[in-house]
Amino acid sequence: MNNFVMAIRHIMEKQHGKDIQRLAAVTVENHEHSLVLCEVQNDSNSNEQLENLCNKCIEPIISTCYRCCECNYSLHLTCAQLPNELKHPGHEEHTLKLVHISKVWEIIGCRACQFYTNGYFFECEICDYRLDVKCALLPTKIVHKSHKHALLQNYFQKSLITHWKYRGCLNCNGCGNRIWSSTYSFSCEPCNFYSDHACALLPHCVNHKWDKHSLILCFPPFTDHPEEIYCEICEEEIHPKYWHYRCRECDQSFHPNCIPRLGESRNMKFGRSIKVVGHPHPITSVRQGEFRSSCGSCNESLYGQRAFKCASCKYSLCFDCVPDLVDSGKLC
């Protein structure tokens, strides 16, 4: 079981005072079919586009889950029992409501991690405030392998404005990116250690089709590395101060953002199909367009970008063009 599922299970059991139920079948609002209890065997060498992800939190499913027998819809046991409303310390003014994205091409941005998602999210419609399921259920304190002390979650960084004024802007210890006052982060202020949500939520290990071994997230100082480290995907140098993934057996290193599963679309699930006007076949959402592929409507390059692709021919569309061409919302 992954760390996120364990964390939200603990939170829900603490709130409700009972174990997560294991029912033979469940029904979920906004999904037309029943879900049945089943075991999942994940193949570490499977196609990343078809990775088995939970439709609510967009985290990998690696054990018992609820699955729809008629479509690509699965849920963690815990996520199937998420509350419909949530009080969140980052938005104390109003209660957040659990919302489902119904359109295949629709995505929303999370206020905490700044990534887009097409999963479920908690929303305050009055304030236009949204958190994806993963960020909404994070505890206020976490233990992270990158630092010896527990890290506290900061909401909107209001307490750190004085720090910026006298000591300059804050930067994430994981990637070096600036942490803005409007974003969430984790910190150990006595040690001047800060991590944005994107880095704090990186998995400890991840599989990639370019390496038969699991890649391990590494933190400085790097005592077993050469002086210069290069990413196997983008072939650019990896900064010696920042986190990266490494396979010691194959002596390969990777920027976290270069691994497709951990890039800009890390909180999105792909594989849903839709029909569009002017094309005879269904098109399916994919994490990355192929080399030299372009949108059949606007002609923009889709290489490395999320897209919709036809399995029968080379036709592809970008996410922005799909709404104008959708065939009355017909799903496949």
Side-chain angles (χ1 to χ4, degrees):
M1 183 181 299
N2 61 44
N3 292 336
F4 169 71
V5 176
M6 292 178 65
I8 62 173
R9 168 173 284 187
H10 174 73
I11 291 171
M12 292 180 65
E13 289 178 353
K14 185 176 180 180
Q15 289 177 343
H16 301 289
K18 60 182 180 181
D19 292 335
I20 301 301
Q21 298 179 353
R22 295 169 63 95
L23 304 175
V26 296
T27 57
V28 180
E29 187 178 358
N30 300 315
H31 190 72
E32 58 183 330
H33 310 128
S34 295
L35 309 181
V36 297
L37 193 68
C38 68
E39 292 291 334
V40 171
Q41 296 294 330
N42 266 5
D43 180 5
S44 61
N45 296 317
S46 62
N47 190 327
E48 291 184 4
Q49 305 278 22
L50 302 177
E51 185 177 9
N52 188 33
L53 301 175
C54 173
N55 276 67
K56 286 195 175 181
C57 69
I58 320 297
E59 282 287 297
I61 295 176
I62 58 176
S63 59
T64 307
C65 71
Y66 290 113
R67 171 172 285 179
C68 178
C69 298
E70 300 187 42
C71 59
N72 182 30
Y73 189 98
S74 303
L75 295 178
H76 292 117
L77 302 188
T78 310
C79 290
Q81 300 172 57
L82 288 176
N84 290 322
E85 294 186 345
L86 180 73
K87 293 292 291 184
H88 194 272
H91 191 74
E92 297 177 340
E93 299 91 331
H94 307 109
T95 299
L96 307 182
K97 294 185 177 181
L98 186 64
V99 180
H100 166 250
I101 293 178
S102 58
K103 297 181 176 64
V104 178
W105 61 87
E106 188 176 9
I107 56 178
I108 66 100
C110 173
R111 180 69 65 88
C113 67
Q114 307 294 303
F115 286 112
Y116 287 105
T117 184
N118 59 356
Y120 287 63
F121 58 95
F122 286 94
E123 177 186 50
C124 173
E125 193 171 1
I126 299 173
C127 301
D128 197 29
Y129 176 93
R130 301 178 183 89
L131 296 175
D132 63 43
V133 166
K134 188 159 45 180
C135 290
L137 296 174
L138 282 173
T140 56
K141 180 189 295 187
I142 64 170
V143 176
H144 200 277
K145 291 186 177 182
S146 63
H147 192 65
K148 59 184 177 181
H149 302 135
L151 304 180
L152 297 178
Q153 186 168 191
N154 303 298
Y155 307 106
F156 292 116
Q157 301 289 333
K158 291 179 181 178
S159 63
L160 301 180
I161 293 177
T162 302
H163 182 111
W164 290 332
K165 187 178 296 184
Y166 294 103
R167 299 171 62 184
C169 66
L170 300 177
N171 293 91
C172 173
N173 283 64
C175 63
N177 290 341
R178 182 173 296 181
I179 297 177
W180 300 96
S181 61
S182 60
T183 59
Y184 291 5
S185 69
F186 289 91
S187 69
C188 175
E189 292 194 44
C191 297
N192 197 28
F193 183 95
Y194 301 93
S195 173
D196 58 26
H197 262 225
C199 288
L201 294 178
L202 287 173
H204 174 62
C205 64
V206 66
N207 294 314
H208 188 270
K209 62 183 179 181
W210 286 12
D211 198 302
K212 62 182 179 181
H213 307 108
S214 293
L215 306 178
I216 307 301
L217 185 61
C218 299
F219 315 105
F222 305 115
T223 57
D224 60 343
H225 284 40
E227 291 185 2
E228 294 183 350
I229 313 168
Y230 289 87
C231 175
E232 295 292 329
I233 297 178
C234 71
E235 299 183 347
E236 294 185 4
E237 187 174 1
I238 296 175
H239 198 290
K241 287 178 56 179
Y242 302 135
W243 307 351
H244 65 271
Y245 283 92
R246 180 168 175 79
C247 174
R248 289 187 172 88
E249 290 87 347
C250 300
D251 192 25
Q252 294 193 119
S253 299
F254 303 84
H255 288 118
N257 287 343
C258 287
I259 299 173
R261 177 69 184 90
L262 303 178
E264 292 184 355
S265 300
R266 66 167 69 177
N267 289 343
M268 295 182 62
K269 181 172 181 176
F270 298 89
R272 295 182 69 187
S273 299
I274 195 169
K275 292 182 179 179
V276 293
V277 175
H279 189 72
H281 312 128
I283 56 174
T284 303
S285 61
V286 294
R287 189 180 300 279
Q288 290 185 319
E290 295 181 351
F291 182 61
R292 292 184 178 177
S293 63
S294 60
C295 176
S297 178
C298 68
N299 207 36
E300 288 291 323
S301 173
L302 296 177
Y303 179 52
Q305 305 296 317
R306 55 179 176 262
F308 283 85
K309 176 186 173 184
C310 177
S312 303
C313 59
K314 295 183 178 181
Y315 184 80
S316 298
L317 286 175
C318 67
F319 265 64
D320 291 337
C321 289
V322 167
D324 295 331
L325 299 173
V326 66
D327 187 7
S328 302
K330 292 181 181 178
L331 302 181
C332 305

